[in-house]
Amino acid sequence: FLQLATAHEIKSEQGRAAQWLRDANDRAGRVYYNLQVARWVYATNITKFNGERQHNASIMSAEFDREAAENATSFAWENFTDSDLRRQFRKISDVGSAALLRKDKAKYERLISLVTKMETTYSEGQVCDKKGTCLDLEPGLTRLMATSRNYSELLDAWKGWRDATGRKIRDDYKEFVSLSNEAAVENGYRDTGDYWRSWYDTADFRDQLEQLYEEMKPLYLNLHAYVKNKLKAKYGESLFPPSGHIPAHLLGNMWAQSWNNIFDIVEPFAGKPSVDVTPKMKELNYTPRRMFNISDEFFTSLGLEAMPQEFWDHSMLEKPTDGRKVVCHASAWDFYNKKDFRIKQCTDITMDDLITVHHEMGHVEYYLQYKEQPVVYRRGANPGFHEAVGDVLALSVSTPTHLKEIGLLDNVTNDNESVINYLMSIALDKIAFIPFGYLMDQWRWGVFNGSIKFEEYNKEWWKLRCKYQGVSPPIHRNESDFDPGAKYHIPANTPYIRYFVSYVLQFQFHEALCNTANQTGPLHMCDIYRSTEAGAKLGNMLKLGSSKPWPEALEKVTGTRNMSANAILLYFKPLIDWLKVQNQGQTITWSEECPIEYYTTTSVPSTAKPANSTGRLHNGFFIVA
Ligand SMILES: CC(=O)N[C@@H](CC(=O)O)C(=O)NC[C@H](CC1(C(=O)N[C@@H](Cc2ccc(O)cc2)C(=O)O)CCCC1)C(=O)O
Ligand SMILES: [Zn+2]
């Protein structure tokens, strides 16, 4: 047919196809708007009724996607000469899990019901003490993990959270995996992980990730060794397994994924102006609204879009006090009508949450910048780009000079010791995260491709946690536990490698924008505040959405088409050198296997007791006195 077709016929078919696409994009906008509204109503008011409404909206949206993909096949789009039409058709033809709808509607309904059920179990999770006082994850358990310095109190919260969430969704997750894989195969992929990686459109993606991890590993090993020594001094050597791992509940965070909350324990040089502005925020009676205004003002100082009035009118910036159950895990929302954009966050008055505010607002800025694109292109260049935007600005906001400028620091000293203190505070967030950001989807891809069996979900999770993060479970674990399920993104089925990619990209963007802003000092002191040139460079990339391959978007900002760890290593260079001196003569690695015996059954012999321990280590367990 094509050989015979004249250029004229192809041209007229492309004309018809372009018209069909415009119409399909318009209809998609309306369908997705209704889906987002239903999801928002449920996330901000968890009730049975709202859950059913959300479920039905998800079915409608999936039906639309499937039908649009079906109609797209009536065009010979693979042979179009117009590469943009081809790109739009390729994206419309990829329906994701909605492919299962075509094969078996009941299975698709089960798939989305399982995700809603797991995410709801997670969001309703609580830990109650003997007196019946119950703590939610936000703010109660998060504050406890950040501020408690009591080994067994931390352990109770750590174990309690896992009992209240992971353990409860273990079987649901197993069923979810098989349905999700069935959908992926129906959509033309080997398994769900294969589908998720396709969004990066990079042939050797896993090799590139491994390479980036290896380049950053020395920095992590040195930080881990230094922090472990400080924690041993604090809690006592005997509570640390001889294998070299750090018990996972001592790092100031429920998942040991960022360690900034234990800065006071690891601070290199005492007596310097504090880099933790949380006390100052409380002293100045900061409100969530003020935190969001600070972030909004940073974006507009760059010449980027301000949050529209609808954002301020309809966002949920605080945890409701009217008894409503909500999904507190922060999130940013595009309603695909070019007008409604929101953030839902149970904002706490902390530096951590000020960073999160910038992170979420970064998502909304991306939505605002690409809102004129066809709906199929209203995505990040790749998911890592979407996660990097807010964090890039937060790197500037976190500098002592910027914090002083906005009144959160009284005085700034930039002698060498202050610089080390500052870099340590940022490394506890950014470097500590690297192995966690890497291992989350290593585990999930293994589950999806079948190399990690259901009977070993938890064992394989802890093998990765021990190998990459060098943290170990502070209490015996078995296969009734499902510790991955205690991390939001697993029950909520949100992919995670995007954050690892973002932590690499955000330093590449930071370096490039600092050059554009003529910031000539060291990279870690750069603040792009008020640089409209930097803002224009960033904005022009954000406007692309996913309309171009991500290396092209990266090149527009940084001049290179490849991810590179050079920028993050440059940023932390003074700290790396300092840590190497601190760790001289020390072993900075740990034994690969976990310092804990596995009970492959689903119960644990009575001999192994929870560790409210004397600290004596007995075949991997802390035994009762
Ligand atoms: C409708 C919808 O779902 N929208 C998407 C956005 C989109 O795709 O358009 C969305 O809002 N996702 C929520 C998710 C929330 C957070 C998260 O989960 N962060 C990771 C890792 C991390 C931690 C610290 C940090 O500074 C940066 C990353 C974690 O907490 O483990 C919680 C706190 C920060 C970001 C997010 O914003 O990425
Ligand atoms: Zn994000």
Side-chain angles (χ1 to χ4, degrees):
F1 165 73
L2 284 176
Q3 277 69 33
L4 297 176
T6 63
H8 170 71
E9 275 165 348
I10 290 183
K11 194 162 166 31
S12 70
E13 187 183 11
Q14 285 188 150
R16 277 192 308 107
Q19 180 51 47
W20 179 81
L21 270 178
R22 275 190 293 279
D23 173 48
N25 271 306
D26 288 349
R27 279 186 290 120
R30 284 192 295 279
V31 169
Y32 296 165
Y33 173 77
N34 292 327
L35 172 63
Q36 293 297 70
V37 168
R39 278 180 171 164
W40 175 270
V41 167
Y42 180 68
T44 55
N45 186 9
I46 297 176
T47 65
K48 192 170 179 328
F49 175 77
N50 290 339
E52 281 159 10
R53 240 188 62 168
Q54 176 204 242
H55 180 86
N56 296 334
S58 298
I59 301 285
M60 305 259 284
S61 175
E63 296 275 13
F64 169 82
D65 288 342
R66 202 184 49 70
E67 189 197 335
E70 207 80 36
N71 297 343
T73 58
S74 62
F75 296 95
W77 58 268
E78 265 118 340
N79 305 297
F80 281 173
T81 51
D82 180 326
S83 62
D84 184 65
L85 284 184
R86 278 204 312 277
R87 187 175 181 85
Q88 287 197 52
F89 269 95
R90 184 171 302 111
K91 287 182 180 297
I92 275 195
S93 307
D94 176 351
V95 293
S97 57
L100 188 55
L101 204 56
R102 177 177 53 218
K103 180 179 178 190
D104 183 329
K105 182 170 180 183
K107 281 189 173 178
Y108 181 76
E109 298 218 43
R110 179 66 182 155
L111 174 61
I112 59 175
S113 305
L114 280 167
V115 177
T116 299
K117 182 184 171 204
M118 294 191 291
E119 183 178 5
T120 302
T121 302
Y122 181 92
S123 298
E124 295 177 341
Q126 294 191 310
V127 177
C128 306
D129 65 19
K130 300 170 198 57
K131 297 188 295 295
T133 315
C134 296
L135 292 179
D136 294 343
L137 179 64
E138 296 184 44
L141 294 170
T142 302
R143 285 178 184 165
L144 188 154
M145 296 304 291
T147 58
S148 168
R149 298 296 181 251
N150 175 315
Y151 185 94
S152 51
E153 179 183 46
L154 287 164
L155 180 51
D156 289 345
W158 187 91
K159 178 181 181 338
W161 177 249
R162 282 154 181 78
D163 292 346
T165 54
R167 281 182 83 95
K168 289 186 177 159
I169 65 166
R170 176 174 169 266
D171 295 335
D172 288 340
Y173 196 76
K174 178 190 181 189
E175 185 186 355
F176 157 78
V177 167
S178 73
L179 288 170
S180 179
N181 275 345
E182 203 172 328
V185 167
E186 194 61 28
N187 195 29
Y189 293 90
R190 287 195 305 276
D191 59 59
T192 303
D194 182 38
Y195 173 52
W196 287 2
R197 291 189 298 273
S198 73
W199 301 330
Y200 294 85
D201 194 15
T202 304
D204 61 340
F205 187 53
R206 293 192 74 158
D207 293 340
Q208 288 191 31
L209 296 170
E210 175 74 22
Q211 169 69 24
L212 290 164
Y213 171 74
E214 287 301 323
E215 286 173 38
M216 297 182 283
K217 186 174 170 182
L219 183 45
Y220 182 75
L221 294 185
N222 276 290
L223 180 68
H224 179 278
Y226 171 81
V227 167
K228 181 174 61 183
N229 288 336
K230 289 283 187 174
L231 286 170
K232 283 182 170 179
K234 172 84 182 172
Y235 289 104
E237 179 99 22
S238 62
L239 287 174
F240 289 70
S243 57
H245 295 84
I246 300 176
H249 66 311
L250 301 180
L251 281 313
N253 173 278
M254 185 58 87
W255 309 278
Q257 72 181 71
S258 68
W259 304 348
N260 50 310
N261 292 313
I262 59 167
F263 179 75
D264 58 302
I265 298 175
V266 306
E267 183 179 33
F269 299 100
K272 296 291 175 184
S274 164
V275 286
D276 175 13
V277 294
T278 300
K280 190 73 174 178
M281 290 170 73
K282 295 187 192 314
E283 179 195 314
L284 296 174
N285 294 323
Y286 260 51
T287 60
R289 178 60 191 253
R290 184 168 173 189
M291 292 159 72
F292 279 85
N293 285 335
I294 285 174
S295 181
D296 187 39
E297 199 276 328
F298 198 111
F299 280 98
T300 52
S301 83
L302 299 176
L304 293 171
E305 298 273 337
M307 296 297 120
Q309 190 53 40
E310 288 84 355
F311 171 85
W312 299 110
D313 293 344
H314 303 302
S315 289
M316 183 195 99
L317 305 186
E318 301 185 52
K319 184 174 187 178
T321 53
D322 59 6
R324 260 183 297 150
K325 279 190 298 180
V326 301
V327 175
C328 257
H329 195 81
S331 56
W333 297 63
D334 186 351
F335 284 79
Y336 294 101
N337 63 354
K338 307 185 188 181
K339 282 185 28 260
D340 284 299
F341 307 90
R342 300 177 197 171
I343 286 173
K344 169 185 63 55
Q345 184 171 339
C346 301
T347 310
D348 203 3
I349 311 303
T350 64
M351 178 67 176
D352 245 8
D353 271 23
L354 182 61
I355 298 298
T356 299
V357 164
H358 285 79
H359 179 93
E360 297 310 330
M361 207 167 265
H363 285 305
V364 179
E365 189 60 41
Y366 217 154
Y367 305 149
L368 292 169
Q369 291 292 331
Y370 61 46
K371 70 183 189 306
E372 299 308 329
Q373 289 282 358
V375 171
V376 284
Y377 287 154
R378 292 189 209 161
R379 288 267 189 283
N382 75 39
F385 277 65
H386 231 299
E387 299 310 333
V389 181
D391 284 12
V392 169
L393 274 71
L395 284 172
S396 286
V397 170
S398 306
T399 58
T401 44
H402 191 87
L403 291 172
K404 182 169 188 302
E405 187 161 352
I406 60 175
L408 285 177
L409 265 189
D410 294 330
N411 50 28
V412 169
T413 53
N414 60 0
D415 54 280
N416 289 343
E417 294 181 351
S418 302
V419 167
I420 295 300
N421 273 2
Y422 171 63
L423 284 177
M424 178 61 76
S425 73
I426 304 296
L428 292 174
D429 189 0
K430 300 296 181 184
I431 301 303
F433 182 80
I434 294 299
F436 184 75
Y438 186 62
L439 73 86
M440 274 280 282
D441 280 352
Q442 297 299 331
W443 180 82
R444 249 188 310 202
W445 295 341
V447 166
F448 288 135
N449 70 25
S451 59
I452 293 180
K453 307 280 182 259
F454 171 62
E455 296 70 27
E456 300 179 319
Y457 274 0
N458 216 38
K459 177 175 184 177
E460 290 302 317
W461 169 255
W462 281 107
K463 272 173 75 175
L464 289 167
R465 289 267 273 177
C466 284
K467 172 181 164 72
Y468 286 108
Q469 266 190 293
V471 299
S472 55
I475 187 169
H476 56 72
R477 311 309 288 153
N478 60 56
E479 288 306 327
S480 311
D481 295 309
F482 179 52
D483 294 330
K487 176 63 195 172
Y488 173 80
H489 300 69
I490 303 291
N493 189 38
T494 306
Y496 208 84
I497 201 66
R498 59 187 60 180
Y499 299 110
F500 179 85
V501 169
S502 157
Y503 273 49
V504 173
L505 290 176
Q506 63 188 252
F507 285 91
Q508 290 182 259
F509 290 145
H510 186 56
E511 183 181 35
L513 296 180
C514 290
N515 291 338
T516 305
N518 295 318
Q519 288 276 310
T520 51
L523 184 56
H524 56 262
M525 284 305 166
C526 158
D527 176 6
I528 62 172
Y529 190 47
R530 297 197 184 108
S531 167
T532 49
E533 300 82 5
K537 181 171 247 188
L538 180 61
N540 288 335
M541 182 274 284
L542 298 177
K543 281 182 178 57
L544 293 174
S546 62
S547 63
K548 300 289 184 197
W550 67 262
E552 193 172 323
L554 182 63
E555 190 173 37
K556 271 179 84 80
V557 177
T558 66
T560 170
R561 298 174 62 84
N562 297 305
M563 293 184 284
S564 165
N566 291 339
I568 192 171
L569 294 174
L570 172 67
Y571 180 98
F572 286 106
K573 181 78 172 71
L575 184 69
I576 303 171
D577 295 343
W578 183 81
L579 283 169
K580 284 178 176 167
V581 172
Q582 297 304 307
N583 294 328
Q584 227 148 28
Q586 311 252 346
T587 312
I588 64 170
T589 55
W590 49 85
S591 66
E592 190 155 312
E593 69 282 352
C594 262
I596 183 162
E597 198 176 309
Y598 272 91
Y599 293 88
T600 44
T601 61
T602 54
S603 65
V604 175
S606 60
T607 49
K609 293 277 185 306
N612 38 14
S613 70
T614 61
R616 273 190 301 114
L617 199 61
H618 168 65
N619 78 351
F621 298 111
F622 294 110
I623 53 172
V624 178

